[in-house]
Amino acid sequence: MHQPYETRYVEDRSPGSGRLAPRAAFRSDAPVVGLDGAWRFRAATGLGDLTAGFEDPAFDDAAWDRLPVPSCWQLQGVGSPAYTNVTYPFPLDPPRVPDENPTGEYRRDFTLPDGWPAGRGVLRFDGVDSCFAVWLNGVRLGDGKGSRIPTEFDATDALRPGRNVLAVRVHQWSAGSYLEDQDMWWLSGIFRPVQLLSRPEGCVEDFFVHADYDHVSGAGTLSVDTTGPAGLSVPELGLVDADPAGPHTFAHVEPWTAEQPRLYEGELTAAGERIPVRIGFRRVVVEDGLLKANGCALLLRGVNRHEWDPETGRTLSYETMLRDVLLMKRHNINAVRTSHYPPSSDFLALCDEYGLWVVDECDLETHGFEQVGWRGNPSDDERWREAMLDRMRRVVERDKNHPSVLMWSLGNESGSGDNLAAMAEWTRSRDPSRPVHYEGDRDSGYVDVYSRMYADHAETELIGRGEEPPTRDPSLDAHRRGLPFILCEYAHAMGNGPGGLSEYQRLFETYPRLQGGFVWEWIDHGIARRTADGRVFHAYGGDFGEPVHDGNFVADGLVLPDRTPSPGLLEYKKVVEPVTIGFGVDGGKCVEVRNGHDFRDTAHLRFRWWAEDDGERVGDGVFDVPVLAPGERAHLPLPELPPCKDAERALTVVAELAAAEPWAPAGHEIAWGQTVIAPAAPAPEPGRVLPAVSGRGGRLTLGPAAFDAHHGRLLAVGGLDVGALRLDLWRAPTDNDLLGDRVADRWRAAGLHRLTTKVLDVAATGEGLTVRTRAAPAGADHAVRATYHWRSDGRSLRLDADIAPEGEWPCPLPRIGIGFSLPGWIDTVDWYGLGPGEAYRDTTAAARLGRYRHTVEAMQTPYVRPQENGNRRAVRRALLTGARGGLLIGGLPSYDLTVRRWTSAELDAARHTTDLVPGDRVHVNVDVAHHGIGTASCGPGPLPQHALGAGPVALRLVLRAL
Ligand code: GAL
């Protein structure tokens, strides 16, 4: 076939041709033509299917479709998204890519505005995935790779007055794809904005702001390197049209930190333009083995953020970016790692403004080479050096003026090799003011912080103590041992979880070397899809027919795809709260408040308290706390309270914003502490009503309850029918149960999802009714004996269940308790216990004692892949009600509760949220305990103290119909 175009660049390791040198991203008052909007588009199947003459301005594209720019074409109905974590979706044959190489041909015209200044015209592409070539008015300007990094071309000679025609060809696969094996959807197209920028004569091409802060003297030093003559004005600092190079020193400036992101508004003025600059003074160093900003060791409370929107993929609106920043700030997050590529510049500007420390990561990952023992890994192949250096240069040059950028990261999971070392070296020489990060080189030879992912608690503690095993290369050991440590990824937030956050935080707060970490990850990358009847669900790997995929491993965020905070985010907010309020001092006679901010005192907070007896408020007020400096603590007397009678009394103290901050309104809660001052009075022993055999159908009655006389099965309480009350050990496995050490496989192998019950004995005694049962799976001799002692005072029913495993138990248990069903008209749960959200034994930090009310629907957490969820812990009392009455379940003293409209088996079988269809019963589990959640989907399982071993337990309840 006639091949009208030179397409060798696609499989060429070179980063591109015809491109301009990388430089800072900035906006100025020089004219800009925005080129976003509907472009003409044709989807070609590969390089053999290109449209001849498509770049010709006279080409007739009227029959072509339209495609929005920016967008990811697979989310506009062109081709399909595909998800793999590590595996490349094409053979490892670098730099070659498949012949089936979906290629988008894009065309649009635009009018050059009148008065367009003399000087250069620059065409800027902020992000094109993965490789592209550009023609303006039929003139080829060049080609580029590096999907999430800008590329600029000089358009001057090709531009003409009036109508101009731009043609861009974008290839899904290219040599660059080998450097872009991040764990995410493979998506293609012009997915970030395109602009034509005027670069007037005399303009500033590039500038580098150096704004240093001396925390000892409080002085600031400002100097701005510019590529051409310019004046610098910062009115607040008294600078007017000064020489940008300075250096200008100021005896006193307010520094920039993520906690107080002080920006000074300035302006660079050159002959042809004015450029607003926002200056943040700060100094970041690694010193004495610690990562410090402005003289203070940081504690990073971070998240890894991919750019994601469930409808538009990696094309994000400004509102969405702002939403992420506000959500992070409101959840006590102070740092973001831009995994695993630089985000839109707008996001970094928001981090500057609202205050988040940023680990800015290069667009680089070659993880799939690990699957062939790192053979052929580009990181260690000189032929890729220029492409890798080019990526790093473009990131550093683009983002160097953002005060929020704390460190540069070379990329992710790209093994090790000289090219990485060269990237580090170049970075350090270009910007000595920021440390270099890269996790993949375990010996940390060319980085400034020791970084790891998913180290378990024990190993993290060892590193905290400085007792980690030596480096592979002995000559690097001393260097690494002298570095601060961060977990660049930990606490894998896939599905229900992550568990174990509190224990990590305790380590971070104990060992100065441990400077915090970044939860993996911020958002579930689910893709919004609709069922035939219009219900929305979120698709994951495999839903688009991909031959190779990694399922729902792409849905592992602290927020659901639609950015609803998941229970994991609320847990994280509580665990990392920058103020702690405790009661464990002075024999519980006082409140300890500690300011855990790195920089900020507590003057911006106000404290309030309230006391509740059995969840009823009995007092509240302002809690006086003196202003505490960072790290300072105060012991304060408990508030005066009225006497407490026969009730459980809880005291809660909260810290909230005294006045609005840019990221949250006044009254926004930052931190809280709670203690039970007086325990509940012991429950009275129930009076006795003896069981009676009723006239009809072999029924036994005991007070308000009816039993099957034969099997001793509870049938009804006060006329409310109760279905299939039985011992239950099974939960629909969470992602953390299924992956890693795969405890769910052991549960299934042990038959916990298919227990059958044998009734051993039903006896009416002088006390009431005693039913002895043995539950066991087919083919096994391990079992659980449950003896139910039922008693009644005539009004309520009391259950004392003694549960004891028998035989050899091969695994911990998912849960232990009883399950039963109630009529489907039950629609509301009121409870007194921990809440309001979901909690499991190692995800309980955010739950506090109180009275709560939810619909049955609101008790559920709609994880992208359905799984066990919605447990409420330490429930003292719950009322399950509907139009026709209900059931009270009292705990002696408390229990775990889930209530849902489907069974655990249905939950287990569902692949997407829309597979769950309410049945005509409400299914209730009342548990003594659950197995912990952990984070085994990537990382450690539940800590030993959170494992549910098989052992004897007792469940004590009172049931009453309402
Ligand atoms: C890490 C990787 C991330 C992600 C995570 C698991 O190894 O850096 O990109 O794949 O594991 O979700």
Side-chain angles (χ1 to χ4, degrees):
M1 175 181 177
H2 172 61
Q3 174 53 274
Y5 295 100
E6 165 57 58
T7 53
R8 265 177 301 187
Y9 65 95
V10 174
E11 296 187 339
D12 179 345
R13 292 181 187 85
S14 138
S17 66
R19 304 166 308 151
L20 290 170
R23 61 192 185 107
F26 59 85
R27 295 202 171 100
S28 79
D29 65 351
V32 176
V33 180
L35 296 173
D36 296 347
W39 290 42
R40 288 290 183 182
F41 181 83
R42 175 182 169 264
T45 55
L47 304 187
D49 178 34
L50 305 180
T51 306
F54 101 116
E55 77 283 13
D56 184 337
F59 178 84
D60 182 4
D61 61 16
W64 284 20
D65 289 337
R66 290 185 194 274
L67 190 85
V69 167
S71 74
C72 305
W73 72 53
Q74 289 87 350
L75 297 182
Q76 303 296 328
V78 179
S80 294
Y83 166 58
T84 61
N85 169 11
V86 179
T87 310
Y88 286 96
F90 47 78
L92 283 181
D93 182 24
R96 279 180 287 275
V97 293
D99 291 338
E100 270 176 54
N101 187 359
T103 291
E105 296 181 321
Y106 290 77
R107 293 184 94 251
R108 73 160 291 159
D109 61 6
F110 63 90
T111 307
L112 198 68
D114 292 341
W116 186 256
R120 275 211 295 188
V122 169
L123 256 179
R124 178 182 177 84
F125 293 81
D126 281 329
V128 182
D129 198 330
S130 76
C131 168
F132 65 117
V134 180
W135 291 259
L136 181 61
N137 300 321
V139 178
R140 192 179 194 279
L141 300 185
D143 53 77
K145 303 189 186 79
S147 298
R148 297 119 209 148
I149 327 179
T151 306
E152 289 183 331
F153 300 98
D154 190 343
T156 319
D157 293 341
L159 260 184
R160 52 193 196 208
R163 181 171 181 265
N164 287 264
V165 178
L166 187 58
V168 183
R169 191 171 272 141
V170 181
H171 311 281
Q172 171 152 5
W173 308 121
S174 68
S177 306
Y178 284 95
L179 305 181
E180 296 178 359
D181 187 30
Q182 291 95 337
D183 174 5
M184 59 191 196
W185 293 99
W186 295 94
L187 297 174
S188 322
I190 306 176
F191 76 99
R192 284 187 190 157
V194 185
Q195 291 174 324
L196 174 71
L197 310 171
S198 143
R199 306 305 305 133
E201 274 158 15
C203 71
V204 168
E205 282 302 340
D206 193 11
F207 61 93
F208 194 167
V209 176
H210 308 278
D212 182 52
Y213 178 70
D214 178 345
H215 71 278
V216 179
S217 65
T221 306
L222 177 64
S223 117
V224 182
D225 306 335
T226 56
T227 49
L232 173 65
S233 302
V234 188
E236 254 192 287
L237 296 171
L239 280 190
V240 181
D241 210 18
D243 174 7
H248 304 280
T249 48
F250 310 96
H252 225 87
V253 294
E254 291 172 49
W256 190 98
T257 69
E259 290 172 5
Q260 287 166 301
R262 177 66 157 96
L263 292 171
Y264 290 84
E265 304 288 344
E267 192 176 71
L268 277 173
T269 321
E273 69 179 342
R274 309 166 85 82
I275 306 168
V277 287
R278 307 187 96 182
I279 297 156
F281 290 90
R282 86 273 186 295
R283 183 185 294 174
V284 177
V285 293
V286 172
E287 175 184 88
D288 306 327
L290 295 172
L291 172 64
K292 295 182 184 171
N294 306 338
C296 169
L298 294 174
L299 184 55
L300 299 173
R301 305 160 154 101
V303 287
N304 281 279
R305 174 181 180 270
H306 268 280
E307 295 190 305
W308 189 250
D309 179 287
E311 303 279 352
T312 58
R314 281 194 288 278
T315 300
L316 261 58
S317 69
Y318 184 79
E319 291 65 39
T320 300
M321 299 182 217
L322 176 60
R323 208 166 148 200
D324 277 350
V325 169
L326 296 180
L327 272 168
M328 288 178 191
K329 291 291 288 183
R330 289 175 188 168
H331 290 87
N332 293 334
I333 287 164
N334 71 0
V336 191
R337 173 173 175 240
T338 69
S339 51
H340 301 301
Y341 44 82
S344 156
S345 298
D346 288 339
F347 180 76
L348 295 182
L350 289 165
C351 293
D352 295 341
E353 182 175 339
Y354 289 91
L356 288 165
W357 297 111
V358 175
V359 176
D360 192 1
E361 193 149 276
C362 188
D363 191 357
L364 175 68
E365 175 158 340
T366 65
H367 199 176
F369 283 90
E370 189 176 24
Q371 294 179 336
V372 295
W374 292 111
R375 245 188 340 272
N377 182 19
S379 305
D380 208 17
D381 179 340
E382 214 188 326
R383 291 170 298 174
W384 291 94
R385 173 126 352 135
E386 181 47 31
M388 289 174 63
L389 276 170
D390 174 85
R391 284 171 187 247
M392 196 69 216
R393 282 188 214 116
R394 281 153 73 195
V395 174
V396 173
E397 296 300 354
R398 190 195 76 160
D399 295 343
K400 58 188 182 267
N401 294 324
H402 289 284
S404 56
V405 174
L406 172 73
M407 292 191 246
W408 300 114
S409 178
L410 306 179
N412 187 59
E413 296 186 316
S414 301
S416 58
D418 285 349
N419 296 344
L420 289 157
M423 290 165 79
E425 192 187 321
W426 178 85
T427 304
R428 230 177 255 116
S429 66
R430 176 63 176 143
D431 181 16
S433 78
R434 291 178 175 102
V436 172
H437 167 273
Y438 175 61
E439 187 269 355
D441 182 42
R442 289 296 175 83
D443 279 2
S444 305
Y446 39 82
V447 295
D448 303 309
V449 294
Y450 180 23
S451 171
R452 288 282 307 281
M453 47 176 79
Y454 309 108
D456 64 17
H457 298 82
E459 189 185 5
T460 303
E461 178 155 27
L462 212 62
I463 296 169
R465 291 179 193 277
E467 294 170 3
E468 69 275 17
T471 51
R472 273 171 290 196
D473 173 352
S475 72
L476 295 172
D477 194 61
H479 169 69
R480 197 183 69 182
R481 228 168 266 286
L483 298 181
F485 181 78
I486 62 165
L487 278 168
C488 70
E489 295 180 25
Y490 79 115
H492 197 244
M494 186 180 185
N496 186 335
L501 281 171
S502 303
E503 290 85 354
Y504 273 114
Q505 195 65 20
R506 227 165 282 145
L507 295 174
F508 300 161
E509 287 170 4
T510 304
Y511 298 100
R513 187 187 188 192
L514 307 181
Q515 295 198 259
F518 297 79
V519 166
W520 186 266
E521 66 175 306
W522 174 243
I523 186 168
D524 287 339
H525 317 201
I527 295 181
R529 284 288 173 266
R530 280 158 191 82
T531 57
D533 57 352
R535 291 172 301 139
V536 174
F537 67 95
H538 291 110
Y540 49 80
D543 287 336
F544 300 94
E546 306 101 294
V548 184
H549 67 83
D550 288 291
N552 67 315
F553 205 65
V554 76
D556 53 2
L558 291 174
V559 298
L560 302 177
D562 65 2
R563 290 185 158 70
T564 304
S566 84
L569 181 59
L570 305 181
E571 178 82 0
Y572 196 43
K573 174 186 180 184
K574 171 68 179 141
V575 166
V576 298
E577 57 191 8
V579 170
T580 45
I581 301 167
F583 302 88
V585 287
D586 297 349
K589 291 205 179 50
C590 76
V591 183
E592 182 185 78
V593 180
R594 178 178 174 275
N595 180 8
H597 285 93
D598 293 333
F599 302 96
R600 199 172 191 188
D601 68 26
T602 56
H604 64 296
L605 301 177
R606 67 181 180 219
F607 293 79
R608 293 190 298 119
W609 68 270
W610 62 84
E612 287 161 323
D613 286 357
D614 289 344
E616 284 289 353
R617 190 158 299 200
V618 293
D620 53 32
V622 170
F623 192 67
D624 275 321
V625 179
V627 172
L628 301 174
E632 198 182 350
R633 55 184 89 212
H635 291 185
L636 304 153
L638 298 184
E640 292 282 332
L641 293 172
C644 170
K645 284 196 295 295
D646 294 342
E648 181 177 37
R649 170 165 292 176
L651 173 68
T652 308
V653 176
V654 301
E656 57 189 31
L657 292 178
E661 296 272 332
W663 43 271
H668 168 78
E669 189 178 294
I670 300 288
W672 59 276
Q674 189 182 55
T675 187
V676 171
I677 305 178
E685 279 299 303
R688 274 176 217 170
V689 172
L690 297 189
V693 182
S694 85
R696 277 172 296 125
R699 285 194 160 203
L700 263 168
T701 59
L702 175 65
F707 292 85
D708 166 318
H710 229 74
H711 295 103
R713 198 183 307 128
L714 180 65
L715 300 173
V717 181
L720 180 73
D721 78 287
V722 175
L725 187 144
R726 73 213 171 275
L727 176 87
D728 197 356
L729 304 178
W730 179 246
R731 73 181 181 197
T734 66
D735 295 316
N736 288 312
D737 295 336
L738 286 170
L739 301 173
D741 57 8
R742 306 179 82 97
V743 69
D745 288 355
R746 294 158 70 205
W747 293 343
R748 240 181 258 274
L752 303 188
H753 58 308
R754 50 178 176 83
L755 297 181
T756 56
T757 304
K758 167 88 184 154
V759 176
L760 303 175
D761 187 30
V762 179
T765 67
E767 292 280 318
L769 180 70
T770 296
V771 183
R772 293 193 309 115
T773 66
R774 182 179 186 277
D781 63 359
H782 55 265
V784 178
R785 287 197 182 238
T787 304
Y788 303 87
H789 304 280
W790 297 100
R791 288 179 287 167
S792 174
D793 57 4
R795 220 176 130 234
S796 48
L797 184 66
R798 157 108 182 222
L799 168 64
D800 289 83
D802 294 310
I803 303 169
E806 167 182 302
E808 289 213 359
W809 273 82
C811 53
L813 303 177
R815 68 173 356 130
I816 192 159
I818 57 169
F820 55 90
S821 74
L822 294 174
W825 48 258
I826 299 271
D827 54 18
T828 304
V829 184
D830 289 86
W831 78 99
Y832 169 53
L834 297 184
E838 165 183 307
Y840 291 78
R841 61 198 294 163
D842 54 351
T843 59
T844 295
R848 65 190 182 211
L849 186 59
R851 288 197 182 184
Y852 305 101
R853 179 192 183 93
H854 274 350
T855 60
V856 171
E857 282 66 35
M859 295 292 279
Q860 321 304 315
T861 306
Y863 292 115
V864 168
R865 187 192 68 81
Q867 54 196 278
E868 167 63 33
N869 72 85
N871 187 57
R872 298 307 190 276
R873 277 201 88 201
V875 174
R876 278 70 163 159
R877 185 172 69 236
L879 274 62
L880 278 55
T881 56
R884 290 188 244 160
L887 182 70
L888 174 145
I889 310 171
L892 302 169
S894 68
Y895 54 88
D896 279 21
L897 176 70
T898 59
V899 183
R900 43 176 82 106
R901 294 200 180 276
W902 30 79
T903 63
S904 293
E906 286 162 342
L907 190 57
D908 189 6
R911 291 192 66 245
H912 296 106
T913 47
T914 42
D915 296 342
L916 291 167
V917 181
D920 58 2
R921 302 290 293 175
V922 164
H923 302 272
V924 182
N925 274 90
V926 173
D927 291 306
V928 179
H930 264 263
H931 187 58
I933 295 296
T935 173
S937 56
C938 194
L943 285 163
Q945 64 270 30
H946 298 308
L948 177 58
V953 295
L955 179 65
R956 312 253 179 270
L957 300 174
V958 171
L959 305 177
R960 193 187 320 138
L962 299 166

